[in-house]
Amino acid sequence: MTEFGDVPEYLLTVEGLKTHFFSRSGVVKAVDGISYDVREGETLAIVGESGCGKSVGALSIMRLVSSPPGRIVDGRVLFDGADLLEVSESQMRTIRGNRIAMIFQEPMTSLNPVLTIGKQITESLELHLKMQGAEAQKRAVELLEMVGIPDAPSRLKQYPHQFSGGMRQRVMIAMAMSCNPRLLIADEPTTALDVTIQAQILELIKNLSAQLGTAVIIITHNLGVVARYADRVNVMYAGKIIERGTAIDIYENPQHPYTQGLLDSVPRLDEDRKRKLESIEGMPPDLMNLPAGCAFQPRCKYAIERCVEETPPLLTVGDGHTAACWVTAGSTSEVGA
Amino acid sequence: MRTYAIQRVLLLIPTLLVLSFIAFALIRFIPGDAALLMTEELGYAPNLEKLQERLGLTEPIHIQYFKWVGGFFRGDFGRSLWDGSPAADELVRRLPVTLELAFFSLFLSAIVAIPIGVFSAMRQDTKSDYIVRSTVVLADAVPHFWLATLILVLPAVYIGWSPPVGWHSLSEDPVKHLLLLLLPASIISVSSAASLVRITRTMMLEVLRQEYIRTAWSKGLSERSIMYRHALKNALIPVVTVFGLRVPNALNGSVVMEAVFGIPGLGRWTIDAIHFRDYPQLQVALMFTAITVLIANLIVDLAYGWLDPRVRYR
Ligand SMILES: Nc1ncnc2c1ncn2[C@@H]1O[C@H](COP(=O)(O)OP(=O)(O)O)[C@@H](O)[C@H]1O
Ligand SMILES: [Mg+2]
């Protein structure tokens, strides 16, 4: 993390990214104009309820949104001086798995069932690092050991079904880290795992990123994860970022009613255990027919007339802390970045 | 997997017994026997009962069956009722010809159909995909014999030339041998190729939706390695099943093409055996055709293990 006053080094800058899905019944605005940046080595969390566009936003960075029906309709993704939305497909392939790597939610189905773990790890090494034979094999063993898989040489010859869920996610992490990426995108890496294993996997990601200096975007709908592992947080709702700040800002001083609602729905370590957990009332909006004004307004107990008339932009509420709400952030602040 | 393979092989024995019963019974449902044909229709011998007794047709039916099966499993395949020649002699000459034609056609259909199926799935809902799919529907509807007649007759009518037919043995002239086989094999392969394109395309589309394919993309692999290394091997399992199911069809097609192209395989010989009620000859032809299908199915089952580690380690 950069100290206050330093010029932040942006590894990734996303500007006005819009990814829509076009179907016969209409346009789903899965990601609708999000802007954020990721600094070298930091961990950024993206949180929000299921279906708010977190995965689509991440896949857009890698240009892996299935098309048709999906299309990135607008925006820029600046990585290392280039706009990833403009580079050629073959240039993009030299970035995927090499400079930006990704791990997914379902370790059970994210590995190819008919290829050995060794093959799946070494193919990245062969492709990007031009390693061959024994050298790639040796590196694959190191990688498995690095992610805490015992008995690595013989494990390399095995297939995914011979691994437990947690072990498979470790394999995914080994694969993702194999070419020493600058950025790791982890899309709900622990959602499908047992609670006890979740913590181990998150610790592993955290330690590796610290050790190797890898920046991490961790996508989750679990705010507990955020508090512990993230430096900064983007809260998403209906395809937009509605609040952004440091993990401490978001956890201790949430400004958007939606963020507050999310926090009320998870148990907190620093509070009375008997507090009743409240989930946010109502349903997430239909991305094909968004309500007028603020997308959260129909579910919001503070909503005023202006919320229906005008969509709130991200408004500055503190140093590096912005929220898109007329009520809680609108009174005192100006339009933020 | 090894115990599975052994079990599968052992299972062949009861299957063969059932088959032997069917092969034996089937031909006896056709009215008349060889002795009857010899005496009444061809005036070949004067005394029906005596002849039937000589040919062993008067013995109780179960005794006839056990004698034949006993002989069969000892490697004695019986003798032709008409000329007394060992049925095995002729079989050994003809079976390889039919098998070669059938498997050559299956091989052709696989090497053509699988890449087309993959291509069609990769280009789903584009013009090329539509062309492939319409061709498949057409190819599926065309009968072998009609296609064969068309190919032989049309050029003869319009340009006064027709493709060569006949047979050259492999040892005599390998090139000519293969060239002569190519046309009938291609004709037989058409309908199998159609099924294989369809199943390959369907399975590829299914596999391409899987999350491990997205993982493969996220690693920066090329479309080619994703299609052939990551997707096809998963899609191939049902393709192999269909391939196995096409074996009887290919044998069937061979029998027809042998007649059209004058190829000395099992086809003509089997039809003659039915015609002349030559029980031992027909039984041995049926048994070996059935054994071919059984072995092909066995290979398909074992191929699952090769393709799918989840089966291999069961
Ligand atoms: N392939 C697709 N076709 C159509 N709509 C899609 C597709 N993928 C995602 N979406 C839509 O985009 C929205 C955001 O999805 P996603 O990013 O996966 O949400 P999450 O925040 O849970 O990761 C969802 O409402 C979903 O309906
Ligand atoms: Mg998701």
Side-chain angles (χ1 to χ4, degrees), chain B residues 122-263:
Chain B
M122 271 162 71
R123 302 276 176 270
Q124 188 193 8
D125 294 333
T126 62
K127 207 182 224 169
S128 351
D129 182 32
Y130 286 124
I131 293 172
V132 169
R133 284 157 69 189
S134 342
T135 314
V136 162
V137 172
L138 198 70
D140 225 8
V142 176
H144 299 138
F145 62 87
W146 185 80
L147 197 62
T149 315
L150 211 67
I151 289 174
L152 289 178
V153 171
L154 276 190
V157 171
Y158 288 102
I159 57 171
W161 174 87
S162 70
V165 300
W167 173 255
H168 263 269
S169 77
L170 183 65
S171 50
E172 218 174 280
D173 186 346
V175 176
K176 209 160 183 189
H177 169 82
L178 278 182
L179 280 180
L180 282 172
L181 270 186
L182 191 60
L183 187 57
S186 309
I187 293 170
I188 303 166
S189 73
V190 167
S191 64
S192 298
S195 330
L196 287 175
V197 168
R198 192 178 293 132
I199 187 79
T200 305
R201 180 181 176 278
T202 308
M203 289 319 299
M204 281 296 286
L205 288 178
E206 174 67 31
V207 168
L208 290 176
R209 279 207 300 273
Q210 303 298 313
E211 292 181 38
Y212 54 80
I213 297 299
R214 192 182 55 194
T215 306
W217 282 110
S218 80
K219 289 159 90 172
L221 298 171
S222 65
E223 186 175 31
R224 210 187 137 77
S225 31
I226 290 170
M227 293 299 154
Y228 285 94
R229 192 188 308 151
H230 282 261
L232 184 59
K233 206 175 170 206
N234 282 282
L236 222 44
I237 296 160
V239 174
V240 166
T241 308
V242 169
F243 189 82
L245 292 174
R246 297 306 297 190
V247 171
N249 193 277
L251 287 166
N252 186 20
S254 301
V255 168
V256 177
M257 286 308 118
E258 283 166 15
V260 177
F261 285 84
I263 296 169

Side-chain angles (χ1 to χ4, degrees), chain A residues 50-56 105 187-188 219 221:
Chain A
S50 176
C52 70
K54 304 182 296 294
S55 299
V56 172
Q105 177 171 345
D187 188 355
E188 311 214 24
I219 294 173
H221 55 246

